[in-house]
Amino acid sequence: MPGHLRVVRPSPTTVSFTVSNAPNRSSSPAKILFTFQILLRAVLFCCVIIVGVARLRLVFFVREGRFIDWQNVWSSPLGSYVCQHVDPYNPYVLMVVGALVIYGVFRRNYTEESLLVIRGFGIQTSTSSSTYLSTASTRFIPTTQIQDIVIHEAFKGFEVRFYLAVIVEGEPNVLVVFPVCFPIAMDHIGTLLPNREILEEIWRGSRRCLYDVKS
């Protein structure tokens, strides 16, 4: 899904550009679908925990706990039903399947990258992580080290790709602002792929904010 641009200007000297391929959730059906996805993730996570606890009950969850009487839990109709269907499976197989399900539960289904420009201070790039369990990777470049912000073109086969880059003083290579979208530095093509019009808008806005360009 192509990336779309979101621009936030909290002040005349600060601007934030965010490129994301997250689906638009402004309509009611989209909000309902998003809520259903959250509930489905929660149900899958609970199922993995229940299956894991039931399979390891003879080792860790057989005695009466401080808050839960495990013997009554496993002897209940629901507990007996879960144990009956879980016990035949190899615990290592359940562990691998559970790890894959948990990874899918916490995995982001979208990519988001942002460029924060603050006049007099510098710029900060941020790339969202692949899961909800880790934070985004960020980098701050002070104004004194920024030589220029440019739009370069690269070739992917017979296709021309444009990318935004920052020339940093003292570094041999340029800093690609949206690295997931860069088709040369990686073997795979990113999922955002902002077009030239979006990059030009970010380029003009960032230079206008950073250098107080009037025209």
Side-chain angles (χ1 to χ4, degrees), residues 107-118:
R107 183 180 181 274
R108 293 180 186 269
N109 56 358
Y110 65 92
T111 305
E112 189 171 89
E113 298 178 347
S114 63
L115 172 67
L116 176 64
V117 183
I118 305 177

Side-chain angles (χ1 to χ4, degrees), residues 71-209:
Q71 294 182 355
N72 292 333
V73 171
W74 305 130
S75 60
S76 64
L78 180 59
S80 301
Y81 177 81
V82 173
C83 296
Q84 180 182 358
H85 287 78
V86 167
D87 289 342
Y89 293 96
N90 190 303
Y92 295 102
V93 175
L94 294 178
M95 185 184 303
V96 173
V97 174
L100 294 176
V101 173
I102 289 180
Y103 174 77
V105 167
F106 290 100
R107 183 180 181 274
R108 293 180 186 269
N109 56 358
Y110 65 92
T111 305
E112 189 171 89
E113 298 178 347
S114 63
L115 172 67
L116 176 64
V117 183
I118 305 177
R119 185 184 305 167
F121 289 92
I123 64 175
Q124 176 177 289
T125 62
S126 176
T127 303
S128 63
S129 61
S130 59
T131 65
Y132 292 101
L133 299 177
S134 55
T135 58
S137 58
T138 60
R139 179 183 178 183
F140 180 78
I141 306 173
T143 305
T144 55
Q145 297 182 6
I146 300 175
Q147 293 185 344
D148 202 356
I149 302 176
V150 297
I151 296 179
H152 280 310
E153 63 179 11
F155 293 92
K156 180 68 175 181
F158 295 99
E159 186 178 359
V160 180
R161 300 288 177 85
F162 297 92
Y163 63 94
L164 191 68
V166 180
I167 302 178
V168 183
E169 182 180 0
E171 295 190 7
N173 300 321
V174 297
L175 172 67
V176 180
V177 178
F178 302 106
V180 176
C181 313
F182 192 34
I184 291 182
M186 298 184 179
D187 295 332
H188 64 279
I189 301 176
T191 55
L192 291 181
L193 299 178
N195 53 37
R196 181 177 177 178
E197 289 73 17
I198 292 179
L199 294 179
E200 288 180 353
E201 182 178 353
I202 298 174
W203 175 75
R204 293 191 185 96
S206 58
R207 288 180 57 87
R208 185 181 301 113
C209 180

Side-chain angles (χ1 to χ4, degrees), residues 6-79:
R6 183 175 70 253
V7 182
V8 178
R9 290 186 174 87
S11 68
T13 59
T14 304
V15 59
S16 174
F17 303 94
T18 301
V19 178
S20 174
N21 60 355
N24 189 2
R25 303 188 182 98
S26 58
S27 62
S28 298
K31 293 180 180 179
I32 295 174
L33 179 60
F34 177 70
T35 304
F36 175 76
Q37 291 177 352
I38 296 242
L39 294 176
L40 181 60
R41 289 173 182 256
V43 170
L44 289 176
F45 179 77
C46 292
C47 289
V48 171
I49 298 299
I50 292 173
V51 169
V53 171
R55 191 62 182 86
L56 300 175
R57 69 186 185 281
L58 298 179
V59 180
F60 301 102
F61 306 98
V62 65
R63 299 180 180 178
E64 181 179 353
R66 180 178 300 181
F67 303 103
I68 301 176
D69 188 356
W70 291 109
Q71 294 182 355
N72 292 333
V73 171
W74 305 130
S75 60
S76 64
L78 180 59

